[in-house]
Amino acid sequence: MNLPVDDRFELYDLRVEVVAPEGATIQCNARPGDWFEVRGELLHFGQPFSMYSLAALLPLLPAKQRPTHPNDWMSTDAEVACPDPHCPTRFRITRLGKRSFRHAETTAVPLKP
């Protein structure tokens, strides 16, 4: 008899917040405290966000969502520099709570028994 496969997995929800030195001139039209959140595969914006900043952040977000070893730099490094070399802005990525997903609900490719 085949037992059902547990196809659950967890991802972190993330909050990405703009941080900058006080009084800094920000080139990407952001303001300190601006943010967006990643919940599963969905982005939730608190306000408009630069597409260039977003393009620099997007490759890191799926990796930051996944559980990592405590010594992995993805576990310890939280701030990403603005892609504009003249902008002092940083984007702080904070892991929020974990969210559970099921493989069968996220892809059409079946798990192998």
Side-chain angles (χ1 to χ4, degrees), residues 3-86:
L3 296 175
V5 175
D6 182 2
D7 71 342
R8 290 175 292 176
F9 64 97
E10 293 182 323
L11 296 176
Y12 285 99
D13 287 342
L14 305 174
R15 183 176 187 97
V16 179
E17 184 176 355
V18 175
V19 293
E22 192 171 325
T25 300
I26 298 174
Q27 304 300 325
C28 60
N29 294 315
R31 295 182 314 269
D34 284 356
W35 60 272
F36 69 89
E37 289 186 354
V38 182
R39 298 180 208 142
E41 65 181 32
L42 301 177
L43 301 175
H44 298 263
F45 293 91
Q47 64 287 302
F49 209 86
S50 163
M51 71 175 176
Y52 302 108
S53 298
L54 187 59
L57 290 163
L58 282 175
L60 299 173
L61 299 178
K64 196 70 170 173
Q65 281 188 296
R66 283 155 173 74
T68 51
H69 189 279
N71 297 339
D72 187 328
W73 71 270
M74 193 58 74
S75 299
T76 60
D77 295 20
E79 293 188 3
V80 178
C82 180
D84 183 333
H86 302 290

